[in-house]
Amino acid sequence: MAEFDDSDLPDPSLMNIIEQDSLKWVFVGGKGGVGKTTTSCCLGVQLAKSRKKVLIVSTDPAHNLSDAFCQKIGREPTPIQGFDNLSAMEIDANDDMEQMQQSMEEAAGADGGDDSAISSIMAELTNSIPGIDEAMSFSELMKQVQGLDYDVVVFDTAPTGHTLRLLSFPTIMEKALGKVMELKDRFGGLINQASAMFGGGNGADMQEMLVGRLEETRSIINKVNDAFQDPAVTTFVCVCIPEFLSIYETERLVQELSKFGIDSHNIVVNQVLFPEKDAEELGEWLEENISDLPKEAQEICSKMMARKKMQDKYIGQCFDLYGDDFHVILMPLLDHEVRGVEKLKNFSESLINPIDLEG
């Protein structure tokens, strides 16, 4: 892409993340279908070269880590074949919420309480406060991950909307506690009566159990939130493709991250056609040679050129918006899928070895 003079721009690679030994949490996010999972896996592969223990966690309900590494990956850290210091796990927020509710019901049952009262309160909470289920399951995830002995954790996050909700969890937890106290005041007597009617134990105990769990969740999330806002510990890698909607979504994500005080200074642009080539040069070559090509080849080349020009326009916008402050990494569109350890290793080299934009 000859029109870019990259001499004064930040290094167009993720080497800054690899070299920052203090980093504990690396989030990879962006619009759906832009290559977040591939980027997360490649980053994990590169981090494994210099860190003792690396974990990749998928919080996207549409898990793809198993597909990317071509091996079964479950809810517990699974060692990646071919590495002795890289593991991956896939988390399901809905399952976590159900398990949490079940454990609370079992605790209530052990105390002679009524399971249905816990279920009712949890259902009321989930309906009243959108995101409370995700907030509580995220708290469980972070508690689990913090208990594991990993130098750095790479999060392959859900599409942008889910990721932005993750940032608002501290606010959600404050609302949840307020709502529980309100429910306790309004329905405390009713729950006690219902528990007694159905032969259960003390309804107040169940309410205290729920308040205790929410307090614990809020404490974890607030602690995690402090870590998230520390650029020495946490950074966010934005992933996009050179198309209007994806660039627009990235701008929204960057602004939200800034608003929440979360460090972000890397943007990975995936699926770039011939990143080292310039559309004008390719266009000149095509103009000179198109008459020598068969009709089908002319159509294919013309469509490719139209796509290349569109991509160059949005890549130019990306550099205009972020080039001065962000490391913008252009990842080439390949003629094969990036699946399996060897292909991920090969592709990951493009994250740390910059493409010469003046080539």
Side-chain angles (χ1 to χ4, degrees):
M1 305 195 64
E3 68 264 31
F4 293 127
D5 176 10
D6 60 344
S7 56
D8 295 327
L9 301 181
D11 182 35
S13 85
L14 290 187
M15 188 56 80
N16 63 94
I17 289 180
I18 308 299
E19 292 175 342
Q20 190 177 339
D21 293 336
S22 63
L23 277 178
K24 285 277 294 178
W25 318 106
V26 181
F27 286 85
V28 179
K31 195 174 182 293
V34 297
K36 296 185 297 295
T37 298
T38 302
T39 303
S40 301
C41 294
C42 288
L43 183 54
V45 165
Q46 286 296 327
L47 283 165
K49 290 181 178 181
S50 57
R51 299 293 193 100
K52 288 181 181 175
K53 288 185 75 178
V54 179
L55 177 66
I56 305 171
V57 178
S58 171
T59 61
D60 187 343
H63 297 305
N64 293 312
L65 290 183
S66 297
D67 296 328
F69 283 111
C70 295
Q71 70 175 84
K72 180 65 180 168
I73 291 169
R75 294 174 51 81
E76 298 297 323
T78 306
I80 299 300
Q81 293 161 7
F83 293 87
D84 57 9
N85 64 338
L86 178 62
S87 300
M89 61 193 289
E90 296 180 335
I91 300 295
D92 190 315
N94 292 332
D95 284 354
D96 283 354
M97 192 62 182
E98 285 171 15
Q99 284 187 4
M100 189 188 309
Q101 184 171 326
Q102 189 178 344
S103 70
M104 290 175 72
E105 287 171 356
E106 286 170 0
D111 293 337
D114 177 24
D115 293 357
S116 62
I118 287 285
S119 301
S120 300
I121 294 176
M122 294 301 281
E124 174 74 21
L125 263 183
T126 305
N127 292 332
S128 304
I129 308 161
I132 179 63
D133 51 346
E134 290 174 296
M136 293 186 77
S137 70
F138 177 72
S139 159
E140 290 296 300
L141 163 65
M142 294 309 295
K143 192 161 68 171
Q144 183 182 356
V145 169
Q146 284 177 317
L148 300 171
D149 181 28
Y150 286 93
D151 295 343
V152 61
V153 181
V154 178
F155 288 91
D156 175 28
T157 69
T160 308
H162 294 272
T163 304
L164 294 180
R165 277 210 300 278
L166 176 152
L167 304 178
S168 62
F169 284 165
T171 309
I172 289 172
M173 290 315 301
E174 291 297 332
K175 285 184 182 175
L177 279 161
K179 186 71 181 176
V180 168
M181 300 315 290
E182 182 190 326
L183 287 171
K184 188 177 172 185
D185 293 340
R186 283 167 57 196
F187 301 120
L190 194 61
I191 293 171
N192 284 337
Q193 289 172 23
S195 295
M197 191 183 300
F198 291 109
N202 189 347
D205 290 343
M206 283 182 274
Q207 293 168 38
E208 290 305 323
M209 188 191 307
L210 181 59
V211 171
R213 178 57 69 98
L214 287 172
E215 283 281 10
E216 180 191 8
T217 301
R218 180 175 67 169
S219 171
I220 292 169
I221 285 181
N222 283 341
K223 195 183 297 180
V224 166
N225 197 52
D226 289 341
F228 282 3
Q229 292 177 341
D230 182 352
V233 177
T234 304
T235 193
F236 201 107
V237 178
C238 301
V239 183
C240 64
I241 56 176
E243 294 180 5
F244 171 76
L245 285 177
S246 185
I247 297 292
Y248 173 79
E249 191 100 340
T250 301
E251 172 66 3
R252 174 177 162 233
L253 179 57
V254 167
Q255 288 178 358
E256 288 292 317
L257 290 169
S258 175
K259 187 171 85 176
F260 284 105
I262 294 177
D263 174 72
S264 177
H265 56 272
N266 291 279
I267 294 177
V268 175
V269 186
N270 278 326
Q271 302 178 22
V272 179
L273 276 167
F274 311 114
E276 74 286 357
K277 303 287 186 187
D278 175 45
E280 286 186 18
E281 289 176 4
L282 287 174
E284 289 170 7
W285 176 88
L286 184 61
E287 208 171 295
E288 289 172 12
N289 295 279
I290 196 164
S291 58
D292 299 331
L293 300 174
K295 188 179 177 187
E296 283 190 1
Q298 290 181 20
E299 289 179 2
I300 291 169
C301 287
S302 295
K303 285 186 177 179
M304 184 275 294
M305 274 308 307
R307 170 69 55 169
K308 174 65 176 166
K309 285 177 181 175
M310 181 199 76
Q311 285 197 352
D312 276 16
K313 179 177 81 171
Y314 290 118
I315 290 170
Q317 288 182 11
C318 197
F319 274 93
D320 287 343
L321 283 167
Y322 311 112
D324 291 341
D325 306 305
F326 282 68
H327 301 266
V328 179
I329 300 93
L330 303 183
M331 297 294 281
L333 179 69
L334 303 180
D335 53 8
H336 58 80
E337 290 184 296
V338 185
R339 293 188 62 209
V341 169
E342 286 310 311
K343 286 180 178 174
L344 285 167
K345 280 182 177 178
N346 291 337
F347 193 56
S348 72
E349 291 298 320
S350 297
L351 283 177
I352 59 165
N353 295 317
I355 289 167
D356 184 2
L357 300 182
E358 297 181 337

